[in-house]
Amino acid sequence: SSYTTFYSYIQGHASKDPRSTEHSMSSSASSSATNIHALLKKTEHYDKDERYMATSDLCEVLKRTRGGGSSATATTTNTATATTGRSNTGISSTSSNSHHATSSSSSLDAATERRICTAVLRLLHDKSNDVQAIAVKTLGVLLTTVQEEQVLEIADSLADQVLDASKSELRDVYAIGLRTLVQTIPPRMGDPTSGRLVGRLLEGIRGQQEEEIVLCCLDILTDLLGRFGSTAVAMTRQHEPILQMCLAQIHSAETVVVRKRAGTTIGCLSVVLSDTLLVSMVERLLGQLLQQEQEEEASSSSNTNKNSNKNNTRALIRTMCTVSGAVGHRLQQPQIDRIIPIFLKYTNPEEALTGDDDDIDDEEGIDNGAGAVAEDTMNDEMAPMSDDLIQDEGAMAVANELRESCFMGFESFVLRCPTQVQPHLNKIIQASLAYMSYDPNYSYGNDDEAEQNNHDGDDDDNMDYEDDEDDEYEDEDDEEEDDDDDDDESWKVRRSAIRALKAVVECQKHDPTTLWTQYYPTRRNQSAIVAMALVGRFKEREENCRVGVLDCFTRLLAVTIKAAEAGVVVIQDSQMDTSTVTNIDLRTAYAPALVKACEKLLSVKKGGERSKSHALALLSTLCKAPGGVGGQTEITSVFTHIQSFLASAGSNELHREASSKTLRLDALSLVHAMLACHNHNPIHVRKGLQQSLLPQLCQAVQEQWYKVIAEALRALAAVPRFFVIGYDANDDASTKKAEMDSVANQLYTAMEPLLAAHDVDQEIKECALTACASLLSELHSSLSAEQTSRLLTLLLERLKNETTRIVAIKTLAAIAGASSDLDLSPILGDSIETMASFLKLQSRSLKQSALEALDTVVTHHGVVDSQDLYSMVLQELAPLVVDSDLHISHLALCASISALKVCPGCGPAVKEYVLPRALVLSSSPLLQDLALDSLLALLEQIVLSGAVDFADLLSLLRQNLAQASASKHAIENLAKCIAVITSVTSAENRQGVLSETLTTLEGSTTPEDPAALKKVQLALLMSGDLGRIVDLTTTIDGLAEKLLTIYMGYFDSPSEDLKNAAAFALGRAAVGAQSVFLPAIVAALESNNQKKQYLLLSALRAFIQCSYQQSGGEGVAATLPVIMPHLENHCSDTEEGVRTMVAECMGSLTCMQPAKMLEKLSQMVEAHAFITAPNGTVDPADTVSKNNSLVCWSIATSIKLAIAGKADPVQMAIFMPRLLKLLEQKELGCRNAALLMVYSAVHHMPQVVAGLMKEQIMPSLYEVATFKLER
């Protein structure tokens, strides 16, 4: 409109005019009152240039008075945003700037403020547009400077001018000024300002004055609602009058533009309305809509009344769409159930005409006239406006606008209240599918059908078809440039329908099965699957709609891949059992069609860059799915099209348009996605690279845009792998060697200049290092000695550079870990020394990267005779061995172990620097997991290398008992340390330690001295850990039997610590001497009281878990027949602690032997299914039900623990339907355990229960949700 155009013009003119800058510079030296008075006098000069410059200088003075100019700039921007955005919903409000009233008011006195306000308001009447523009800009600054009284006077003055019917020529300027005031004033002035304006604005709208005044008042009122609608008391009190006024305008306004603007105001009002008023508003709109439909039917004989009623109906529908888009999530279910059918009535799928309808009718032998009559008869009730739309193009445009609004309402409902819209979702999908193809003025022909019928034809036919498609797109672009397709706006309906479909995809992102498998009826007795229909619409002629289709399908594909990772669906070649989940045949049913359709879009020679970009993004997403883009043919074809984007054969190509940079970047991103994923055959990828793409990739690093260069380097980094694994056994060795040498040289030539450059972007440096790592790791044998030395030298240089050192460290680690054949000796010493120096710095990420790289480099390329170097490294590593950062400690210990293994001569350095820190760490109660494992490995290596004498090390560890005695966990760690060094020492030393331990433990007494008690506890734990590593029956004759007696004896000790230590030691010792300890454990289970049974089950659990850690599931496979009968007997124990221990044992066994254990547990569930529990409680006299409920509780708990322990999900999915029978039990304890089992599955293995939710799990959850049991 002229309103928006004028506002944009004066804002841009005021901000860009050079005179403003010149005079603001000249007047910035003085802000005194004298200068202000002089400037005010100049604003009355007869010369418009003088007035303009004086006003500009005054604006700058006011900015300095306020304290800075940034706020004014932000204010102007906010005002412009509010104006240009009013054609949308008009709901979003712009944020206001802070108002520094205290600092500003002290700079100007009241009289000066008043004079300035008067002058600025007078300038709004100026005859010069330039002066008016700078006056509006100055007004925005002034409102943040003057007092509240002046602001209210300005508001009154501007409101007078807006409502004055005789000021039509300057009303736009006054309206802009008033809207600037609303958007600029500080929040604290919102209430008084709103109180001054809202009543006058409402009166101006009701006064039945000029349309221009009504529009201005509605715009200002919309701004007021957006800014102060929920915060200003004066506004909240006027919500009901504003609502009534807007509804009246929608019903009685003479022009469409007023109705639209009133609907926009209602949309903004709905955001701030209370729930009660919102419900009332929606009910009123629905009531008016029903009344209009009745009046429309009654006035069908009069064309004038009929058109008027239809206009009212459309205005109400449009308003309802606006409200739905703004606050659809706040509407209640009954209201949504009334609104959506109304929207569906005006998006009837049978009205979604296409240009191909006549061709289809001709093929089917249908007479057009008869078909039209039949269609009119069929749709007479559902399509009340069809006849008028066919005859009147204006009415057709209005109907299309209404349909667009309806689909926008669908989009809002589906996105913001998916649960409430679920009953209507299928109809929304049907309408969206039908109107996605709504194009009555264009015929696409029957190319798709012809292609399907001639699918087995020769390649020439296919090429001709592709050429025809190219010509079609090119002709389409020409037509759009010439006459914009005769102003056909049906594409807006298609675009909104596609957006509604995308909202459906988002709504069903957790389970998109129906979008790939379910047929939805569309029109003319046809049906379609959403996914296939989207692929069919890739031929869309309008760029905006084509991009929407591509984006929608890309999102559908992405959410499906994510759902497949979660096990909800299966995409083709998965090992998951498909009996409970849906299998989507993406590779054969969709991938070829997708690739071919995207290639047609990519082959268009002119225009369509957005479509090409989205097609490349779609292919990139397709790479993540099993099978990728396809086989050799598809890969080569995609690479060929990408080559056309990257090619620069001629000099004219060097000056390509700037917009093609994005396409080249997207093309390189697709290449990287194809090379980085593992869903393509390496042989096919290698052939495709060699035949068409590799030279262009190497040339792409010479581009000017840093993002293109970086992406090209990422793609090149993924290339070498395919020239190592991309050959089969039949390939000629000499040819293979020649190809590898050629590729290595091309890659070296491309990346070496960027690796050496210092004046390039940081991202390029990092990507060049990554590419260097890939080249040296995979193809170092194909590089010459000079090339290898050059790359290593550059790598060392980057390692010493502060900005690239972390990436260089990771690069060096990747190269060192990939191959031991590469000679790193030219930089080995310097690189190790440099990385060791990084350990002194504060950056944790740098220390972590350096430690990981040191471990890798020393392990694979360490030199034996570098004692001084490794001693220096160990000296730097020692301070990092602390319990305050266990991960860093773990890495430091690993690096120390590697140095000691490579160079045993650095043992004295280990003893001097690392060992003292390691001993302190061994007694820490925080020590656990990886840090504990690394500490044990270090102590073991110290003994094996002879760095420290065994007796000395044992003595040092035992001395730590005093520090470790404060924590039970610390004593366990210390016992593990002693057991590890004892296991690797000589047999003589080992026997000595065992003899001392036996002497300490004999008698099974409980010392009263706490120190002696801790010593006995340490001896028990150490003997058990040593028995886990060494078979005790091979050390000292009769030792195992003696220890068994000792362990059993300590079960009667009054000390809980000794009891638990004895149980722990018994279970661990059984791992090494199974024949002695395991039979004794299971036999004692049946002949002891509950307390000892608990300890024996603890020992059995320790045996199972340690066996799993050392030998995996096969370690206890032979012991299942021995263990399970006893566990089964104790499943029904009345002591919950015993049952919990049984469940832990069975859960661990399930992780080790899933098939056997799950079968056994499923049989137990079926055998103990009979439980009588009225009101959820078993009768104490019913021993059978009580026993069965306890068994089921133990089984459900064991399955829960097995799922948390990462049991085999494939086996778990097979048996889960049988195990879910536990949910049907009425006994509360059993049902609670079953629900916890399901929760564990949903949390850890959702794929196991995804297909069982609807049939087995959800009914039980609904039943539990209705429980009303009294505790």
Side-chain angles (χ1 to χ4, degrees), residues 963-974:
Q963 291 81 11
S965 61
S967 170
K968 175 184 174 181
H969 185 65
I971 297 176
E972 293 177 0
N973 291 338
L974 194 59

Side-chain angles (χ1 to χ4, degrees), residues 18 69 167 281 352 358 411 438 476 500 578 602 654 743 764 777 860 919 952 1008 1012 1086 1127 1130 1134 1221 1239 1250:
K167 304 283 187 172
M281 180 189 71
D358 293 338
E411 179 185 6
Y438 172 65
E476 165 205 330
T578 59
L602 297 177
L654 298 177
V743 170
I764 295 177
S777 300
H860 294 87
L919 292 173
D952 295 339
E1008 295 182 0
E1086 305 303 328
L1127 293 177
H1130 289 279
T1134 56
K1221 296 292 183 181
Y1239 176 79

Side-chain angles (χ1 to χ4, degrees), residues 1064-1095:
F1064 182 84
L1066 177 60
R1068 293 207 155 201
V1071 178
Q1074 182 175 316
S1075 60
V1076 176
F1077 292 99
L1078 185 59
I1081 294 174
V1082 296
L1085 276 172
E1086 305 303 328
S1087 59
N1088 283 282
N1089 57 29
Q1090 285 188 342
K1091 184 61 178 177
K1092 287 190 176 181
Q1093 285 176 350
Y1094 180 83
L1095 294 172

Side-chain angles (χ1 to χ4, degrees), residues 546-590:
R546 190 160 60 237
V547 167
V549 172
L550 291 168
D551 188 40
C552 182
F553 190 88
T554 302
R555 182 57 184 161
L556 173 60
L557 186 60
V559 300
T560 305
I561 294 172
K562 190 172 182 179
E565 294 173 353
V568 179
V569 298
V570 174
I571 300 180
Q572 213 173 28
D573 299 334
S574 175
Q575 298 180 353
M576 174 66 67
D577 179 22
T578 59
S579 59
T580 58
V581 294
T582 303
N583 183 21
I584 299 175
D585 188 9
L586 188 63
R587 177 177 297 181
T588 58
Y590 285 93

Side-chain angles (χ1 to χ4, degrees), residues 314 317-318 346 385 398-406:
R314 291 163 188 162
I317 291 291
R318 190 183 303 109
Y346 291 94
M385 53 185 176
V398 173
N400 286 341
E401 183 180 355
L402 185 58
R403 287 166 177 156
E404 181 185 5
S405 299
C406 289

Side-chain angles (χ1 to χ4, degrees), residues 923 957-967 971 974 1011 1014 1018:
S923 60
L957 287 171
R958 285 175 173 172
Q959 291 173 9
N960 276 356
L961 180 59
Q963 291 81 11
S965 61
S967 170
I971 297 176
L974 194 59
K1014 298 300 180 183
L1018 177 64

Side-chain angles (χ1 to χ4, degrees), residues 1149-1165:
L1149 289 172
T1150 304
C1151 293
M1152 301 163 66
Q1153 294 289 326
K1156 295 180 181 179
M1157 282 300 301
L1158 288 171
E1159 177 63 33
K1160 178 64 178 176
L1161 294 176
S1162 299
Q1163 293 174 0
M1164 292 174 63
V1165 170

